[in-house]
Amino acid sequence: MVIKPKIRGFICTNAHPVGCEAHVNKQIAYVKSQTSATTGPKNVLVIGASTGYGLASRITSTFAHDAKTLGIFFEKPPTERKTASAGWYNTAAFVKAADAAGIYAKNINGDAFSHEIKAKAIAAIKADMGKVDLVVYSLASPRRTDPDTGEVYSSTLKPIGQSVTTKNLNTSKRTIDEISVEAANEAEIQGTIDVMGGADWELWMNALAEAGVLAEGVKTVAYTYIGKELTWPIYGKATIGKAKEDLDRAATAINAATADLNGKARVTSLNAVVTQASSAIPIMPLYISAMFKVMKADGTYEGCIEQIANLFKENIYSDSPRLDEQGRFRQNYKELEDSVQQRVTDIWNKVDTDTIDELTDYVAYHQEFLKLFGFGIEGVDYDADVNQEIAINNLI
């Protein structure tokens, strides 16, 4: 099969197995080239392990610290006529590299919100790892089924209090336009909290604690994006922001529940990056394109793998972590510098359709979007016939 990208709006509906493998291997090479924290994890559970920050956490755990990892994800396998999802190919490539290095890496594909997958994970940990000393929670989903009641919660991307009209980069048309988003009602706010808040992180940690598979001194992190004034109307101060605030509540509850193990839960604030999730959020494509222009010129931009490699070294396994006022790990400090935000705001205020390429780095944004699905990777022959039916080794 010759595979070319099939893009519909902010979604790419296929993926390239060779490109995904090349992208994963590039991240592995980066981690191997860096100095690491002198201490690190040995047995790691990554919930949401197949793309973005979750995948970067798994790569860093394995190739910076030789840690055993168990990855949880929900990805579409390939068929005779269709490619798998990018996360499937990413995981296949990661496991191939871990196997070659002789490092344990097993995988569970299924609904991480369910009791069934939690039980599967606990059984695998007991059988192969004993106890885990790091749990990374990096799930992104538009819906969540309550494992006890069966109720399906849905998230929304809406402001709170009043509707918002703002500048927007229409990636389908490659134009600057305006987008209006109506304010969320109380049910939509609560639904977003139920999906994207800390409830499932807390359920995971309680289940692991009750099963006796958390190590003394266990650490757990959940990832979030805080942003500043430009993104607050539809992100930080909106429905997603309310859900992210619930992560702080969950961190406090997890700290209390794991106190006898000297456990530590922290929410982690990371950079804005191009992901399948962020591409769907109004404001973010334009904001990230402007941010690329500023931070890449400064040489300070960090993608997923750079952020996570530094998070492990500077925060999770540091004696002097960088914390914000809420006690979160603050890994996004370069993005949120006042000078960076002011220059991004200046671009935001000036840019129009005719000046997209001059004032922003939308080209880099689009390149990063394609890379999520294994396209646009240097050295990959996209005219070659490839086998899309790639299996994931060590799939439980």
Side-chain angles (χ1 to χ4, degrees):
M1 178 184 287
V2 175
I3 305 169
K4 304 289 184 178
K6 295 179 181 178
I7 298 173
R8 187 174 68 246
F10 53 80
I11 298 171
C12 185
T13 61
N14 63 349
H16 198 287
V18 177
C20 287
E21 181 173 7
H23 195 207
V24 167
N25 287 339
K26 185 176 181 180
Q27 294 176 73
I28 292 171
Y30 175 82
V31 167
K32 288 181 174 179
S33 73
Q34 302 299 300
T35 57
S36 304
T38 53
T39 59
K42 296 305 172 193
N43 295 302
V44 182
L45 172 64
V46 183
I47 304 158
S50 55
T51 61
Y53 282 126
L55 174 63
S57 301
R58 200 173 188 193
I59 289 170
T60 300
S61 298
T62 297
F63 294 100
H65 299 289
D66 296 329
K68 294 180 177 181
T69 63
L70 175 62
I72 313 294
F73 47 84
F74 200 7
E75 297 292 348
K76 181 185 70 175
T79 68
E80 189 176 325
R81 298 177 60 189
K82 294 184 178 181
T83 74
S85 55
W88 180 278
Y89 292 139
N90 290 342
T91 302
F94 165 80
V95 174
K96 180 180 176 181
D99 285 350
I103 303 173
Y104 175 100
K106 286 195 176 179
N107 312 278
I108 298 173
N109 189 32
D111 179 7
F113 298 133
S114 69
H115 290 316
E116 175 192 1
I117 296 302
K118 290 177 176 68
K120 267 192 173 185
I122 288 167
I125 293 166
K126 285 182 175 179
D128 299 336
M129 304 165 99
K131 296 176 186 290
V132 291
D133 54 4
L134 175 64
V135 179
V136 173
Y137 191 86
S138 185
L139 278 189
S141 174
R143 286 172 296 279
R144 170 174 168 255
T145 300
D146 188 299
D148 293 318
T149 67
E151 183 177 356
V152 178
Y153 308 121
S154 296
S155 62
T156 57
L157 307 173
K158 289 187 176 182
I160 291 175
Q162 60 185 14
S163 62
V164 168
T165 299
T166 185
K167 223 171 202 177
N168 179 63
L169 172 52
N170 185 320
T171 56
S172 296
K173 299 178 180 178
R174 212 170 186 276
T175 58
I176 301 295
D177 56 22
E178 282 191 339
I179 189 168
S180 295
V181 186
E182 65 180 20
N185 59 40
E186 288 302 319
E188 289 171 324
I189 295 170
Q190 187 58 51
T192 306
I193 293 170
D194 290 333
V195 176
M196 303 179 70
D200 188 60
W201 182 26
E202 196 176 352
L203 285 174
W204 267 100
M205 294 306 295
N206 287 342
L208 295 166
E210 289 168 10
V213 295
L214 295 178
E216 173 72 21
V218 64
K219 301 176 187 294
T220 182
V221 290
Y223 296 148
T224 191
Y225 176 71
I226 303 299
K228 273 201 170 180
E229 285 86 350
L230 271 180
T231 57
W232 280 349
I234 295 183
Y235 206 106
K237 305 296 185 182
T239 52
I240 299 177
K242 283 294 182 184
K244 299 303 185 181
E245 286 175 14
D246 191 62
L247 290 174
D248 295 326
R249 176 208 58 77
T252 299
I254 293 166
N255 282 327
T258 59
D260 59 331
L261 295 170
N262 295 311
K264 192 61 187 176
R266 287 200 191 275
V267 177
T268 301
S269 184
L270 296 167
N271 268 4
V273 291
V274 183
T275 65
Q276 295 179 56
S278 69
S279 299
I281 301 171
I283 291 181
M284 296 310 288
L286 179 55
Y287 172 80
I288 294 173
S289 297
M291 183 191 70
F292 277 0
K293 186 75 169 182
V294 172
M295 296 190 73
K296 290 190 175 186
D298 290 351
T300 56
Y301 176 72
E302 295 175 337
C304 288
I305 196 64
E306 294 87 359
Q307 277 273 286
I308 297 301
N310 287 330
L311 172 68
F312 275 54
K313 183 166 51 179
E314 298 174 5
N315 280 313
I316 300 177
Y317 295 99
S318 168
D319 293 330
S320 52
R322 185 184 298 102
L323 304 175
D324 68 11
E325 297 82 0
Q326 287 75 31
R328 308 181 191 108
F329 286 137
R330 188 167 176 257
Q331 199 58 46
N332 61 343
Y333 61 98
K334 295 177 184 177
E335 178 193 338
L336 298 190
E337 284 181 0
D338 289 341
S339 64
V340 170
Q341 288 296 306
Q342 184 57 58
R343 282 180 286 161
V344 171
T345 300
D346 290 343
I347 292 171
W348 180 281
N349 291 335
K350 293 176 186 175
V351 69
D352 58 22
T353 297
D354 294 333
T355 57
I356 289 174
D357 290 332
E358 176 190 348
L359 297 181
T360 80
D361 198 350
Y362 176 68
V363 170
Y365 175 92
H366 186 64
Q367 288 171 341
E368 289 298 313
F369 176 80
L370 289 174
K371 287 178 183 177
L372 297 175
F373 306 94
F375 298 107
I377 308 292
E378 187 176 352
V380 176
D381 182 359
Y382 291 100
D383 293 319
D385 189 19
V386 298
N387 174 25
Q388 81 279 6
E389 294 189 74
I390 304 296
I392 295 176
N393 291 341
N394 308 330
L395 192 61
I396 297 172

